[in-house]
Amino acid sequence: MAPPGLHYKVKLSSGRILGPLDLLRIRLLIQKNQIIGTEIAREYPAGDWKDINLIPKIAEMLIAHASGVLKGRLFPFGGEREDFVQTELLPEAAVAVSISSEELEPTSVMSGFSAEVPSMAEESHKITPQVEDDEETATQLVPSGEAGRTASLVSLDHEDLEPTAVIDRMVGPPKQRISEERTVVFQRPVNPIQALSRKKLGSRSVLQWLIIVITIGVIAQDFLAPKENRGEKIGPIRPQLPAYSEGKTDPTQSAKAYAEAMPFYLADHVVGYRRASEKFLQAANFDINNVKALALLASCYLNLIDSSNKDENYFSTVLKLIEMSRAKVVDLPETVVADAEYYMTVNRAESAQIRVVEYTKLHRNFDPIMFYYLAFAFYQRGDARSAATFIAKFPDDKIFSPKVYYLRGLISEKLGDESTAIEEYKKAIRLNKDHMRSRLRITELLNSAGVLEQAAPELEAITHKPTFLSPRELARAYYLHAQLLRNAKKWDLALADIERAVKLEKGNSDYLLELYTLRAKSGESLKSVQKEARMYFFLGEGQRQLKEGNHQEALSYFLQARHVNIDSHLPLVKIGDMFFYLNDIANARMNYEIAAKKVPTNIEVWSKYINVLILSFDWEEAQKAMERFRMLPVSQSAIDKAAGDMYGKQGRHREAQAYYKKAMARDIIDPEVYIAYARSLMVTKNYKEAPSFLTLSLERQSVSLHLSLLSARSRC
C-alpha cells in the first residue's frame, strides 16, 4: 500500500509547476486534459524530476484516460487503493520567454538579418520565469527591467538554464571542429545557372552544365511524380536498419546516394520523404559510417509516422538509427535534427529545446536550422510568441525548404494574424508547388473566413496528388472538398469525397455527420430510396446530438433510424455503440449480434461483437467468431487484437502481447491495437515502452486504408 499522503509536483510543458498534488487531484487534472503525459514530475518533497510516464500510478491513469476508462476506480488496471489528502490548485501563472535579437546571434551566419517578426505587435514589457526551488510551489512572473536581461529556455532539470546561461550556451567558446564545417544539408540549393554567371566558362563547359541540369530535372520529375499516376502499388512504410556488409564499404556511392536523397528530403511532403528514405538507406548500406545518412534516415521515418504502419519496432528502429549516428563521435546538425524531431514526436518538446541549446553551446558557428527547431519546440509547447522570436532569426536567404515558411504560417495563425499566415503558406508553395500541407492550411483559413469557394484551386491541386499528404490531412482535404461541392449542389460528387474522408478517418464525428447528411440529401428525391434517406437523416441528427454531448437524445434518434429501416445494420451498430458507452454491455451485445448477422462478412461490425463477447466472458463464442474470420479475406489485424484482448481479459498477458505484436506486424492495422498493447504493458509494469505506444495510440486512423484507397485510385 502506498504511503498515506503521497504527493507529487508536476511541471507542465509550459514551465508552470503544480503541487504538491495528491493522486486524486492528479486524476482530476488528467480527466480535464490539463495533464496529458508530456510533463515531468517528482515525488514531494525529495524526489528527482523524471518523465511523468515513469511514475507507475500516474502512468496507469494516463493510459486509462486515453482509453476512455478513467471514470470509476482510481487505478483501472489494478493496484491498491490510495489514501488521499486533498490539495488546492495553485493560481494560474503563464510563462513566456523573450530574448532580444542581439543576445542570440550566431557569428557571421546571421549578419545583416533583421529579427523583426512580421505583423506581430511588440510586448509592452518582457517577462521571464523564475526557476522553482524545493520550497516554492509556483512559478512567478518578473518584469525584465527588475530581473535584468533575463530570458530562459525551461529545462527538464537544469536549474542553470537562466537567461544568461541560454546565451552562453548558444554562443560557446570559439573552437574549430569537424562538426562546424559547412554541411550541404541545410543550405538553399544552388542554382546552376546562377553559378555559371559567377565564373567564365568555355562553350564546352556551359554545354556540359546544361546537360547536367536537364538530366537532374528529368530524374527529379520522375522520382517526384506521384505513384498513383504511374499505376504503381503504394506499400506501407516500415523503418529499416542498414544492411551493411563488412568489407564492402563504398564511400563514393554512399555520398552519391546521399546527394540524390537531399532534394526529396527538402521537399517536405510524404512522397519526398518516402523517396529520401530509400536513398538514405541506400547510402547507409554503402557506408555505415555515413552519419548524415543515418540521422536523416531516422528523420524521414519520423516525418512519415502519420503515413506509416507502426509496429512494435517502429520507435526502436528509429532510436537505433539515431544512436548509430551519435556513436561516430562527431556531433553534426543532422544528428541534432533527428534528436529534436524524435523528442517532439513523443511530445517532449522541452527535451528538444535542451538538445538544441546544448549543441549551440559547443558550436559557435551553428547552422540557422537550430532556430527552426527552437521555434518548433516553443510552438509545440503553446508559446507562439517565443516561437515567432526564434523563427524570425532564420534568414530568408538561407531558407532551404518550404517547411520553414510552413512553420511561420502556423505561428502567425497562433498569433491571430491570418493574412500573414496565408502569405507564408504561399511562399512555401512558391518554393515547392507540391507542398500540399500549405495548400490545406490556406483552405482551412479561407473556410473559417466563410469564403471556401476561393480555395477551389488549392483543393483541386490536393485531390489531384493525394499521396503528398498524410491520411489524416487527406481526409480533411476530402471533407472540405465535399463541402465545396455540396455548396455547388453537386451532391453525388460531394458524397463520393466524404465517403473517402470517412474511410480514412472513421472515428471523426464531423465526417460522419456530413456523410449522413449528404446520403439523406442524395436520396430524398428518389422514391425508391426515401426510406434509406430518412434513416440517414435520423443518423445525422443523432450524430449531431452525440457531437454536442447529448447521449440520450442521440440514442433516441438512432432508435428512430432503426424504426424507419429495420433492414440496415447501421442503426443497430450506432445503438450498440451508445449502450457500450453507457456501460450497458447486455444491450450493446444484443444490438451488435443482430447487426453482425445482417452483415456476416463485415469485420468492423464483428469486431465490436467479439469485443462485447470477451467483456461478457463468453470465451467460447468469441473463439468461434475469430476462427470463422480467420478463413475469410478480411483484415486479420482486428482478429489478432481480439485474441489479444481475450487473453488479456484472462490475465494471460504474455500471450496477449504476442497477439498484439502480430496485429501490428500486419499491412492493415487496427489502430485500436496501439492503446490495447500500451495497457497490457502497463499491467505487466513495462513502464519504459508503454508511453511510446500511448503516443502511437493518439493516431486514430488506419494508414493502410489510405494506401488501399490510393492504390484503388491508381487502377482506375
Side-chain angles (χ1 to χ4, degrees):
M1 186 170 181
L6 188 62
H7 286 70
Y8 298 90
K9 284 195 174 184
V10 178
K11 190 173 188 179
L12 304 181
S13 57
S14 65
R16 179 188 175 200
I17 296 176
L18 302 180
L21 304 173
D22 60 30
L23 288 167
L24 180 59
R25 181 68 66 177
I26 289 174
R27 183 183 72 165
L28 294 174
L29 291 173
I30 290 173
Q31 289 175 322
K32 294 180 180 179
N33 294 317
Q34 294 180 21
I35 294 177
I36 59 176
T38 62
E39 301 80 9
I40 58 173
R42 67 178 179 88
E43 287 190 18
Y44 179 82
D48 295 327
W49 288 106
K50 64 177 74 172
D51 188 326
I52 198 169
N53 296 287
L54 298 179
I55 300 175
K57 294 298 184 182
I58 300 178
E60 289 181 16
M61 290 189 283
L62 287 167
I63 294 286
H65 181 59
S67 58
V69 298
L70 189 65
K71 300 175 183 177
R73 296 179 58 196
L74 181 61
F75 304 114
F77 305 125
E80 299 177 353
R81 179 179 176 82
E82 302 288 346
D83 294 325
F84 303 119
V85 178
Q86 294 292 334
T87 60
E88 295 183 4
L89 287 179
L90 299 168
E92 185 88 19
V95 178
V97 177
S98 64
I99 301 177
S100 61
S101 302
E102 65 274 9
E103 289 177 316
L104 204 54
E105 293 294 334
T107 63
S108 70
V109 177
M110 298 288 98
S111 58
F113 173 70
S114 171
E116 181 181 356
V117 182
S119 305
M120 189 183 80
E122 295 293 330
E123 294 185 27
S124 58
H125 66 281
K126 299 178 181 178
I127 54 178
T128 181
Q130 287 187 342
V131 180
E132 175 229 35
D133 60 29
D134 286 341
E135 300 302 322
E136 293 293 329
T137 58
T139 55
Q140 181 179 359
L141 299 181
V142 180
S144 60
E146 299 174 15
R149 289 178 61 188
T150 57
S152 68
L153 299 179
V154 184
S155 72
L156 291 175
D157 54 4
H158 291 62
E159 279 82 67
D160 60 330
L161 275 182
E162 289 291 339
T164 54
V166 173
I167 301 165
D168 291 340
R169 287 173 183 271
M170 299 199 73
V171 197
K175 294 181 180 179
Q176 185 63 31
R177 52 188 84 219
I178 296 176
S179 57
E180 291 179 351
E181 295 180 359
R182 288 177 62 84
T183 173
V184 297
V185 179
F186 306 116
Q187 305 296 331
R188 181 189 285 272
V190 177
N191 186 329
I193 303 301
Q194 292 178 350
L196 285 174
S197 65
R198 298 193 190 117
K199 59 170 92 174
K200 295 181 179 179
L201 298 174
S203 58
R204 183 174 179 180
S205 298
V206 171
L207 180 59
Q208 289 175 341
W209 268 102
L210 290 175
I211 291 173
I212 292 171
V213 170
I214 293 171
T215 302
I216 291 174
V218 171
I219 293 173
Q221 179 68 26
D222 176 66
F223 273 111
L224 288 177
K227 287 188 174 182
E228 74 277 10
N229 292 343
R230 303 190 311 202
E232 299 178 18
K233 184 177 180 180
I234 303 171
I237 286 287
R238 291 188 188 276
Q240 299 179 54
L241 293 173
Y244 172 70
S245 299
E246 189 68 32
K248 294 185 179 180
T249 299
D250 192 339
T252 302
Q253 289 296 322
S254 179
K256 180 182 177 183
Y258 177 85
E260 290 173 349
M262 285 313 302
F264 305 123
Y265 180 81
L266 298 179
D268 190 45
H269 52 56
V270 171
V271 172
Y273 285 122
R274 288 173 66 98
R275 293 307 182 90
S277 68
E278 295 168 3
K279 289 293 182 179
F280 286 136
L281 182 61
Q282 186 180 14
N285 287 338
F286 280 124
D287 183 5
I288 199 65
N289 294 312
N290 190 332
V291 176
K292 295 180 180 180
L294 291 169
L296 294 189
L297 178 58
S299 173
C300 285
Y301 290 145
L302 290 168
N303 280 284
L304 288 168
I305 192 168
D306 290 340
S307 303
S308 308
N309 281 347
K310 283 82 69 175
D311 61 16
E312 58 167 325
N313 298 316
Y314 195 95
F315 280 122
S316 62
T317 303
V318 170
L319 285 173
K320 180 63 176 178
L321 288 168
I322 296 175
E323 289 170 4
M324 291 169 68
S325 70
R326 291 176 187 158
K328 306 306 177 183
V329 180
V330 179
D331 195 14
L332 295 175
E334 291 83 353
T335 305
V336 181
V337 166
D339 280 333
E341 289 182 346
Y342 169 74
Y343 287 134
M344 285 186 280
T345 299
V346 296
N347 297 316
R348 293 171 58 188
E350 201 168 21
S351 297
Q353 287 180 217
I354 293 172
R355 176 68 172 102
V356 173
V357 172
E358 292 292 343
Y359 174 83
T360 56
K361 176 185 176 183
L362 300 175
H363 302 83
R364 184 177 181 86
N365 296 324
F366 58 85
D367 195 288
I369 188 64
M370 299 305 151
F371 288 124
Y372 170 85
Y373 283 102
L374 279 175
F376 193 7
F378 272 114
Y379 173 82
Q380 194 178 78
R381 293 177 57 193
D383 187 351
R385 196 160 292 277
S386 294
T389 299
F390 283 107
I391 199 63
K393 292 178 179 296
F394 202 121
D396 283 352
D397 62 351
K398 300 289 184 181
I399 292 179
F400 54 87
S401 168
K403 71 179 183 182
V404 179
Y405 292 122
Y406 183 75
L407 180 58
R408 284 185 175 183
L410 293 177
I411 294 170
S412 296
E413 280 193 62
K414 209 72 170 178
L415 294 172
D417 191 350
E418 287 82 6
S419 59
T420 297
I422 290 177
E423 287 305 313
E424 296 294 346
Y425 296 137
K426 287 181 178 179
K427 290 178 184 177
I429 296 169
R430 284 195 290 270
L431 190 57
N432 183 349
K433 62 183 178 63
D434 290 328
H435 199 256
M436 300 302 171
R437 288 195 297 161
S438 290
R439 294 186 185 274
L440 182 58
R441 289 311 310 159
I442 290 174
T443 302
E444 293 280 16
L445 290 173
L446 293 175
N447 183 47
S448 298
V451 286
L452 180 60
E453 64 278 2
Q454 294 181 17
E458 313 300 340
L459 287 169
E460 290 301 322
I462 292 172
T463 54
H464 181 65
K465 294 183 176 180
T467 48
F468 286 73
L469 287 176
S470 70
R472 176 170 290 182
E473 292 166 333
L474 181 59
R476 186 67 184 172
Y478 280 134
Y479 168 72
L480 292 169
H481 198 229
Q483 289 189 315
L484 182 68
L485 293 168
R486 181 197 62 188
N487 294 342
K489 298 184 179 180
K490 298 178 180 179
W491 309 114
D492 291 341
L493 294 176
L495 181 58
D497 268 354
I498 197 60
E499 286 175 343
R500 293 188 182 103
V502 171
K503 284 182 180 179
L504 292 168
E505 195 175 352
K506 295 183 178 180
N508 190 298
S509 59
D510 290 332
Y511 303 170
L512 286 172
L513 176 58
E514 186 75 3
L515 174 66
Y516 296 146
T517 302
L518 284 172
R519 282 182 174 173
K521 187 69 178 178
S522 63
E524 64 183 11
S525 61
L526 301 175
K527 189 172 183 180
S528 59
V529 293
Q530 282 183 352
K531 180 174 70 172
E532 190 172 72
R534 281 176 53 78
M535 178 194 73
Y536 282 119
F537 168 78
F538 287 122
L539 287 175
E541 290 302 308
Q543 194 66 37
R544 196 186 312 276
Q545 293 295 328
L546 190 61
K547 184 179 176 182
E548 295 174 0
N550 303 323
H551 298 95
Q552 292 295 338
E553 291 83 350
L555 179 58
S556 175
Y557 277 113
F558 293 146
L559 289 169
Q560 291 182 68
R562 163 71 171 152
H563 179 72
V564 298
N565 191 350
I566 61 174
D567 298 324
S568 175
H569 70 283
L570 289 176
L572 290 164
V573 173
K574 299 302 292 186
I575 294 168
D577 289 345
M578 290 306 307
F579 281 124
F580 186 84
Y581 175 83
L582 297 171
N583 206 30
D584 188 343
I585 301 301
N587 273 314
R589 174 176 175 171
M590 179 182 68
N591 283 276
Y592 286 148
E593 182 178 9
I594 299 172
K597 289 178 179 178
K598 290 181 179 293
V599 282
T601 61
N602 189 316
I603 185 61
E604 295 172 12
V605 176
W606 277 83
S607 294
K608 293 175 182 285
Y609 179 47
I610 293 171
N611 184 46
V612 294
L613 289 175
I614 292 170
L615 292 175
S616 303
F617 301 95
D618 195 340
W619 316 126
E620 184 177 352
E621 286 298 318
Q623 190 66 44
K624 286 180 181 178
M626 286 187 282
E627 289 174 356
R628 177 175 175 274
F629 272 89
R630 289 292 187 194
M631 307 300 294
L632 298 178
V634 297
S635 169
Q636 294 298 308
S637 179
I639 303 302
D640 292 331
K641 177 193 173 291
D645 290 343
M646 185 174 71
Y647 283 119
K649 194 71 172 177
Q650 295 171 354
R652 299 162 62 183
H653 296 291
R654 179 173 297 181
E655 292 95 328
Q657 290 173 17
Y659 272 102
Y660 292 144
K661 291 177 182 179
K662 191 175 180 181
M664 289 185 287
R666 303 282 187 181
D667 283 345
I668 299 178
I669 298 178
D670 181 353
E672 295 292 328
V673 72
Y674 298 122
I675 198 164
Y677 186 49
R679 291 171 60 183
S680 181
L681 290 173
M682 291 300 302
V683 173
T684 55
K685 303 188 184 304
N686 192 338
Y687 303 121
K688 184 177 180 180
E689 294 184 24
S692 296
F693 290 94
L694 178 60
T695 298
L696 291 178
S697 73
L698 300 178
E699 180 60 39
R700 313 295 287 182
Q701 63 191 25
S702 177
V703 170
S704 46
L705 283 172
H706 165 65
L707 301 172
S708 301
L709 177 61
L710 295 177
S711 296
R713 285 167 59 88
S714 70
R715 293 191 294 268
C716 295

